[in-house]
Amino acid sequence: MAAETPNHAETAGADHGAHAPAGTTEVAAHGGGESGGLPQFRMEYWGGQIVWLFLIFAVLYILLAKVFVPRLRKIKDNRAATIADAVNQARSVQAEAEAQAKAAQAEIDEARSRARGLAVEAKAKAAAELAASQKAEDERLQAQMDEAETRIRGLRDQAMSNVRGIAGETAQAMVEKLTGQKVTAAEIDAALTAQGAA
């Protein structure tokens, strides 16, 4: 029974500690921290912090110098090369387009000059054909006019001969009726010829 008493005391002490107020434990917890403060501001830690600072700076510098900056420079160079290639390609396309435009303009000018030449040639050919056909028509009309004049002369001569014969017969009948004497056709013809010559 005597041996069990200390155990009971320890249990009581533990129970007493378990049932201790919360403020007592907070004071015990803060009691050790009041003497130190933040380790970043304590002088004895500055050496290690400076070493870690230089070490991290060196690692970051090596990463930037060997990894990130070359990649950025490569990307920048690739972008510049791509832009330069695009600009050169655009210039070559523009030059080709200008050359094609000049060639098309030359073809258009040549086609226009050829069309003008064909128009002038067609006009001259049409004028020549018109002149030839007009000349042929004039010659045909002149031949018809000459033929008509010849026929008119023939008809006129024939009519005149008929008129002369009729006039001679009429004169012969009138002289015979008026004078009672017969006149020959030769006498009437001689009298008409003399009358025409007068």
Side-chain angles (χ1 to χ4, degrees), residues 31-54:
E34 289 177 356
S35 63
L38 293 174
Q40 291 88 349
F41 297 113
R42 295 175 65 181
M43 294 288 291
E44 60 266 21
Y45 294 117
W46 281 13
Q49 291 178 1
I50 291 172
V51 170
W52 277 109
L53 179 66
F54 280 121

Side-chain angles (χ1 to χ4, degrees), residues 3-177:
E4 291 177 358
T5 304
N7 291 334
H8 181 70
E10 289 175 4
T11 306
D15 292 336
H16 179 72
H19 294 291
T24 312
T25 54
E26 288 178 0
V27 170
H30 286 90
E34 289 177 356
S35 63
L38 293 174
Q40 291 88 349
F41 297 113
R42 295 175 65 181
M43 294 288 291
E44 60 266 21
Y45 294 117
W46 281 13
Q49 291 178 1
I50 291 172
V51 170
W52 277 109
L53 179 66
F54 280 121
L55 188 64
I56 292 171
F57 180 78
V59 170
L60 288 176
Y61 179 78
I62 290 171
L63 285 174
L64 286 173
K66 300 296 183 181
V67 178
F68 297 115
V69 172
R71 286 183 181 179
L72 291 175
R73 186 177 291 117
K74 185 177 180 181
I75 292 171
K76 184 179 178 182
D77 292 339
N78 288 335
R79 184 178 177 185
T82 303
I83 292 172
D85 290 339
V87 170
N88 291 331
Q89 187 175 2
R91 286 178 180 171
S92 64
V93 169
Q94 184 179 4
E96 185 178 357
E98 289 178 355
Q100 290 180 356
K102 288 181 180 178
Q105 187 64 36
E107 290 180 358
I108 290 171
D109 294 338
E110 184 180 358
R112 283 180 180 172
S113 62
R114 193 182 308 156
R116 288 195 193 101
L118 290 174
V120 171
E121 184 179 354
K123 187 176 180 180
K125 186 176 180 181
E129 290 178 356
L130 181 62
S133 63
Q134 187 174 0
K135 184 178 179 182
E137 187 68 19
D138 290 342
E139 291 177 354
R140 186 178 67 81
L141 291 175
Q142 188 65 35
Q144 288 181 356
M145 287 177 65
D146 292 341
E147 183 180 355
E149 287 181 359
T150 303
R151 287 172 59 191
I152 289 170
R153 279 197 213 98
L155 292 173
R156 187 187 63 188
D157 293 342
Q158 184 179 359
M160 289 302 293
S161 65
N162 291 336
V163 167
R164 191 178 181 120
I166 293 170
E169 290 177 359
T170 305
Q172 185 178 7
M174 288 176 66
V175 168
E176 185 179 354
K177 190 173 183 179

